[in-house]
């Protein structure tokens, strides 16, 4: 009976957490369209989340594109299909690997940082101070971060896609003896607008998830250094899991027909 | 005037406030004393609406604080937090002028900066401090900046949460004097939470002792030393023996 009770408690705990996160995300969305707005905070976050994540996303895309080209070439050689390298690299990067790996890297960098910053603000009473200064913490802290992440992730992933395809191109041309012009032609011929749009839509969702998880766990951080540490870990873990789960759902929505 | 009537608050199974009744007249400096964990901070947070009481009523000038429009309501208050609670990412003047840079009290940036520098001067800090960041300041300077922020918008009511904790005796004396001067000068109502009996004597018009989630004793500061209540006597003289358990 104790085991069953334990399983029940865990299950209820998970349901309760999902409910709390859903309410938090709904509140964040509702505050997005209600004044006051804090454009300066938004621009600061746009720079931090968007611009400063570019090296991480770019390097991830570059090496992933290169490795993907090698993998597809060696796998395709088993049934004489080496020529599909450019198109598979492009589709793989744009549809899946660009948004998912970009999302996971940004989750590691941004969700952790947001949770640590807001968690520290909470334990040092800065969140209470904001409230006493007539400033809603959700509007001042959460909305600029969520909006900045949701808008900047598609741009980051678009740049990452180009860099990833370039990674595949460099490996294809220098290591696998592809003709440079033919590689580019194959890439562009097989890539469709819907591939790009689906990837960017995923990126926007992942950006929303990353910032929302960072803010939620920061705002609900426990006391002291340990509490902030746990909030940081929870933010990264939950953002990563939600990115992978929502990626599957979005892929079903976009491509299952 | 602030009136708390039969205010209760529990966190889970832990009952923190068990019927607090407290009246603070306008322009009066009330100091709440009591052991750690007796609910002093929660009392202040209930008045500010940071924590919602389970039952009871809190009135500000006869109006229920729960019914007030939040922005206008909070504009009447200033608060000095125990650790300062300064925003790390903002410079000192931006911290002080925080309320003047946004919301209903928004002023032009230059004017807000001027007011911030004036408030910094009022708490004994030079204009050079204005462009520094909180992390560059000592604990005493951070407290002064927090005090400047609390008074920046000339509030009607100011809360001081452990204003001298962590400061050396001289700096604690400076902060106590500043609080007293500012409260008298502004004619503001002040509620201070402290364990520091020197602060109590320097700041208070009236003293209330919170124990067991209720106001145990309340009276003018002049009557504090002659108080016959054994709880008050033990607390103000720091005796290990008495009705208040040393281990809580």
């Amino acid at each position: 009976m104790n085991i069953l009770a334990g399983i029940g408690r865990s299950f209820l705990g998970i349901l309760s957490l999902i409910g709390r996160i859903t309410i938090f995300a709904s509140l964040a969305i509702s505050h997005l369209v209600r004044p006051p707005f804090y454009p300066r905070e938004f621009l600061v976050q746009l720079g931090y989340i968007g611009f400063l994540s570019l090296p991480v996303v770019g390097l991830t895309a570059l090496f992933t594109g290169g490795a993907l080209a090698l993998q597809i070439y060696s796998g395709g050689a088993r049934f004489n299909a080496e020529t599909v390298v450019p198109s598979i690299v492009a589709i793989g990067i744009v549809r899946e690997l660009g948004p998912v790996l970009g999302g996971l890297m940004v989750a590691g960098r941004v969700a952790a940082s947001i949770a640590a910053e807001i968690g520290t603000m909470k334990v040092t009473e800065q969140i209470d101070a904001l409230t006493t200064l007539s400033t809603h913490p959700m509007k001042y802290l959460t909305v600029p971060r969520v909006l900045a992440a949701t808008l900047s992730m598609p741009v980051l992933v678009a740049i990452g896609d180009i860099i990833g395809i370039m990674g595949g191109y460099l490996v294809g041309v220098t290591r696998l003896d592809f003709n440079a012009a033919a590689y580019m032609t194959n890439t562009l011929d097989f890539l469709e607008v819907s591939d790009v749009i689906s990837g960017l839509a995923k990126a926007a969702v992942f950006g929303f998830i990353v910032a929302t998880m960072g803010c939620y766990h920061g705002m609900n951080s426990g006391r002291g250094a340990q509490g902030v540490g746990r909030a940081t870990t929870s933010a990264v873990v939950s953002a990563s899991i939600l990115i992978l789960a929502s990626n599957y759902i979005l892929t079903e929505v976009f491509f299952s027909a | 005037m602030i009136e708390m009537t039969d205010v209760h608050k529990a966190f889970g199974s832990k009952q923190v406030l068990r019927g607090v009744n407290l009246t603070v007249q306008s322009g009066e400096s009330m100091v709440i004393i009591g052991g750690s964990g007796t609910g002093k901070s929660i009392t202040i947070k209930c008045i500010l609406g940071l924590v919602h009481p389970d039952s009871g009523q809190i009135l500000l000038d006869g109006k229920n604080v729960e019914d007030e429009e939040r922005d206008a309501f909070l504009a009447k208050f200033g608060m000095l937090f125990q650790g300062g609670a300064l925003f790390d990412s903002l410079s000192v003047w931006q911290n002080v002028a925080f309320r003047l840079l946004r919301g209903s009290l928004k002023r032009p940036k230059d004017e807000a900066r001027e007011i911030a520098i004036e408030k910094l001067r009022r708490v004994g800090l030079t204009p050079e401090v204005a462009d520094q960041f909180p992390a560059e300041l000592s604990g005493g300077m951070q407290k002064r900046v927090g005090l400047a922020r609390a008074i920046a918008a000339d509030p009607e009511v100011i809360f001081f949460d452990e204003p001298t904790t962590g400061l050396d005796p001289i700096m604690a004396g400076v902060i106590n004097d500043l609080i007293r001067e500012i409260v008298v000068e502004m004619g503001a109502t002040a509620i201070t939470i402290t364990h520091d009996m020197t602060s109590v004597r320097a700041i208070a018009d009236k003293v209330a002792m919170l124990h067991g989630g209720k106001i145990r004793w309340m009276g003018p500061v002049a009557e504090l030393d002659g108080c016959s209540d054994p709880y008050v006597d033990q607390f103000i003289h720091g005796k290990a023996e008495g009705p208040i358990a040393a281990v809580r």
Side-chain angles (χ1 to χ4, degrees):
Chain A
M1 283 304 280
N2 282 342
I3 295 171
L4 284 175
I7 293 170
R9 263 196 300 275
S10 301
F11 183 67
L12 288 174
I14 290 168
L15 286 181
S16 163
L17 178 67
I18 291 170
R20 285 197 299 273
I21 290 174
T22 307
I23 291 168
F24 185 85
S26 310
L27 274 175
I29 292 168
S30 76
H31 281 292
L32 272 173
V33 292
R34 284 188 287 155
F37 303 111
Y38 297 101
R40 187 183 166 276
E41 300 308 312
F42 167 69
L43 291 174
V44 168
Q45 293 306 322
L46 204 59
Y48 178 72
I49 297 171
F51 185 69
L52 294 181
S53 295
L54 198 53
V56 176
V57 173
L59 283 172
T60 305
L62 181 72
F63 291 122
T64 304
L68 193 59
L70 286 175
Q71 286 282 14
I72 294 163
Y73 185 82
S74 86
R78 293 177 194 165
F79 39 93
N80 297 323
E82 296 95 326
T83 52
V84 297
V85 169
S87 49
I88 301 287
V89 166
I91 290 171
I93 289 281
V94 170
R95 279 189 179 190
E96 277 298 316
L97 295 174
V100 173
L101 291 182
L104 291 175
M105 294 307 286
V106 172
R109 180 181 176 271
V110 173
S113 152
I114 291 175
E117 185 184 1
I118 295 181
T120 305
M121 287 183 77
K122 190 184 176 201
V123 299
T124 56
E125 296 189 299
Q126 291 179 52
I127 305 269
D128 283 344
L130 272 180
T131 307
T132 63
L133 292 164
S134 309
T135 303
H136 199 303
M138 184 67 102
K139 284 188 189 297
Y140 186 74
L141 296 174
T142 303
V143 167
R145 284 164 175 77
V146 170
L147 192 61
T150 307
L151 295 180
S152 62
M153 266 304 283
V155 180
L156 270 177
V157 166
I159 296 169
D161 287 349
I162 295 167
I163 295 172
I165 290 171
M166 288 309 295
Y169 169 85
L170 287 173
V171 169
V173 171
T174 59
R175 290 267 292 108
L176 308 174
D177 294 329
F178 274 86
N179 175 278
Y183 190 102
M184 286 314 294
T185 307
N186 268 350
T187 298
L188 296 173
D189 282 351
F190 284 96
L191 205 57
E192 292 178 6
V193 174
S194 63
D195 297 327
V196 179
I197 289 174
S198 68
L200 299 186
K202 282 181 177 181
V205 173
F206 299 162
F208 178 80
I209 288 171
V210 165
T212 305
M213 287 301 97
C215 292
Y216 173 79
H217 288 286
M219 292 277 193
N220 291 282
S221 165
R223 287 182 180 180
Q226 195 179 38
V228 176
R230 280 187 184 152
T232 307
T233 307
S234 301
V236 176
V237 171
S238 57
S240 303
I241 291 171
L242 283 175
I243 283 173
L244 296 172
S246 62
N247 177 56
Y248 173 75
I249 294 166
L250 290 169
T251 306
E252 280 277 7
V253 170
F254 289 131
F255 302 109
S256 65
Chain B
M1 184 168 76
I2 297 169
E3 292 172 274
M4 300 180 79
T5 311
D6 199 27
V7 173
H8 287 75
K9 180 66 193 174
F11 293 95
S13 59
K14 191 181 178 193
Q15 191 74 39
V16 181
L17 303 182
R18 299 167 187 267
V20 170
N21 293 294
L22 182 70
T23 302
V24 186
Q25 300 292 338
S26 296
E28 187 173 75
S29 177
M30 169 70 76
V31 174
I32 303 174
I33 58 173
S36 301
T38 51
K40 302 188 297 297
S41 294
I42 297 300
T43 303
I44 279 188
K45 287 182 178 179
C46 282
I47 299 172
L48 279 167
L50 296 174
V51 170
H52 296 284
D54 298 331
S55 62
Q57 194 179 45
I58 303 172
L59 303 178
L60 175 68
D61 296 330
K63 292 179 189 165
N64 194 326
V65 297
E66 299 277 334
D67 302 335
E68 294 264 316
E69 199 274 313
R70 288 300 291 166
D71 199 17
F73 171 73
L74 287 167
K76 295 175 185 170
F77 294 94
M79 178 151 180
L80 171 60
F81 286 85
Q82 188 174 348
L86 301 176
F87 306 123
D88 308 320
S89 57
L90 301 180
S91 64
V92 164
W93 84 264
Q94 286 171 324
N95 265 282
V96 175
F98 191 90
R99 187 172 252 164
L100 307 174
L101 290 168
R102 45 186 69 75
S104 59
L105 300 176
K106 190 173 179 177
R107 315 267 176 97
K109 197 175 171 184
D110 289 344
E111 191 186 331
R113 184 182 161 91
E114 221 167 86
I115 294 171
I117 288 174
E118 179 49 37
K119 297 296 179 187
L120 286 170
R121 195 175 284 127
R122 180 66 198 84
V123 298
L125 293 172
T126 58
E128 288 73 52
V129 174
D131 292 313
Q132 290 185 289
F133 282 84
E136 298 172 80
L137 307 179
S138 68
M141 288 168 92
Q142 288 188 17
K143 277 270 159 86
R144 290 186 197 212
V145 174
L147 185 53
R149 185 174 69 181
I151 61 170
D154 298 323
E156 294 170 26
V157 183
I158 314 177
F159 295 102
F160 303 99
D161 187 1
E162 306 278 5
T164 55
T165 300
L167 301 180
D168 65 69
I170 295 169
M171 185 52 70
V174 169
I175 296 288
N176 285 337
D177 290 348
L178 271 174
I179 289 173
R180 187 69 210 176
E181 282 170 28
I182 286 167
V183 168
V184 169
E185 183 182 296
M186 292 173 62
T189 307
I191 301 181
T192 307
I193 289 172
T194 186
H195 295 117
D196 180 354
M197 292 313 296
T198 310
S199 290
V200 176
R201 293 186 174 93
I203 296 170
D205 293 326
K206 267 179 140 179
V207 181
M209 180 167 172
L210 194 61
H211 181 76
K214 287 183 172 183
I215 298 296
R216 173 87 204 172
W217 179 86
M218 184 162 69
V221 67
E223 293 175 13
L224 184 65
D225 289 317
C227 173
S228 57
D229 187 291
Y231 288 81
V232 176
D233 181 63
Q234 184 189 356
F235 187 85
I236 66 172
H237 294 108
K239 296 175 183 169
E241 299 292 322
I244 304 173
V247 179
R248 288 187 290 271

